[in-house]
């Protein structure tokens, strides 16, 4: 049995999709995920839009409305039979998000105990065998194995084992592979 | 440099003192900490008062009004110079508490980064060298060294190194003692 820590935004929750939807509605724009190869949204927009764009994420209900990433529920339900699954999200970066994140997890991941939810900042405080995350900086001090969940902003990041989607994670753990970078 | 994980309630925040104050006000009682040797408040009160007593903790502002435990600020400020200090609280047990706990920590522990706050449930997900906690059950699967912070409800608990107060914690880390049970 392994302990698997799983990030929320861009891994099980489509925060970027919602951010783009709100951004496009606010500014009458048509930015898509395809345009964000190697970039965050903030990197490619006019500087005068940046503060309003950032504020969208810090609203109380932003995290309440996120779509579930394809396959996340099915694969985590399966993994949680043989492994200990924790949701480890850097919620401290967005302190307005606590209630919405908790409710979203309770709604969409009913098979996980809230005792396995972790709202943190720095993730090297997490004791797990694996950390599935789209932000590679969390892997630097983490003592387990990082699995970089593919996201537009991290396309140019190297040095970590990249997983494209939940189907690939399912395959990795089903085959009991030695996971290499 | 060690990583020191520190619980909130009964360790840095006097949750029991506030709970007793509210209980006594609600029921016209005079329960004091001295009467709780080996017991939680819920264990010694009439069963018909139990639900209302529990509800006091689950109100949104309960955690906003807690006194800081004597010495916690001074000693943690000192320890955070040489060590990495994380606040690890089982906030998932009281999901209404997130905002109040965050604000309380920001108000009273200004020298700690919010990136070092962890709202969790099970604490064996915490990777730290030490866990200072009043609930011994968190030590069972924890891989570091547990330090049992003395509290009325845990007076009869044995098997762990007990620390009486923050002054004693200061002495332990100042002397660089090998900490034994």
């Amino acid at each position: 049995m392994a302990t698997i820590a799983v990030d929320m935004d861009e891994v099980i929750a489509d925060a970027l999709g919602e951010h783009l939807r709100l951004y496009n509605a606010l500014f009458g724009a048509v930015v898509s995920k395809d345009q964000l190869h190697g970039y965050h949204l903030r990197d490619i927009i006019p500087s005068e839009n940046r503060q309003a764009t950032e504020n969208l994420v810090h609203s109380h209900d932003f995290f309440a409305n996120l779509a579930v990433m394809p396959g996340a529920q099915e694969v985590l339900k399966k993994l949680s039979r043989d492994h200990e699954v924790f949701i480890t999200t850097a919620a401290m970066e967005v302190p307005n998000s606590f209630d919405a994140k908790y409710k979203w997890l309770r709604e969409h991941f009913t098979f996980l105990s809230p005792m396995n939810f972790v709202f943190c900042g720095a993730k090297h405080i997490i004791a797990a065998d694996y950390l599935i995350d789209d932000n590679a900086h969390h892997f630097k001090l983490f003592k387990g194995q990082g699995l970089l969940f593919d996201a537009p902003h991290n396309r140019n990041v190297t040095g970590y084992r990249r997983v494209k989607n939940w189907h690939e994670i399912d395959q990795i753990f089903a085959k009991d592979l030695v996971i290499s970078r």
Side-chain angles (χ1 to χ4, degrees), chain A residues 59-132:
Chain A
S59 83
H60 272 282
D61 59 353
F62 176 82
F63 291 93
N65 302 316
L66 307 187
V68 178
M69 295 292 270
Q73 285 159 321
E74 298 81 350
V75 176
L76 279 180
K77 191 167 191 174
K78 197 169 150 187
L79 287 178
S80 64
R81 279 184 219 131
D82 296 325
H83 305 288
E84 198 171 29
V85 172
F86 282 83
I87 305 298
T88 56
T89 175
M92 294 300 155
E93 293 175 0
V94 191
N96 270 349
S97 71
F98 300 144
D99 290 340
K101 277 179 178 268
Y102 182 84
K103 281 180 200 146
W104 189 91
L105 286 170
R106 293 299 284 150
E107 185 182 343
H108 297 292
F109 291 83
T110 50
F111 53 89
L112 293 176
S113 162
M115 295 304 110
N116 286 26
F117 301 165
V118 183
F119 292 176
C120 59
K123 293 194 186 178
H124 59 282
I125 193 64
I126 301 298
D129 301 301
Y130 301 97
L131 170 60
I132 304 172

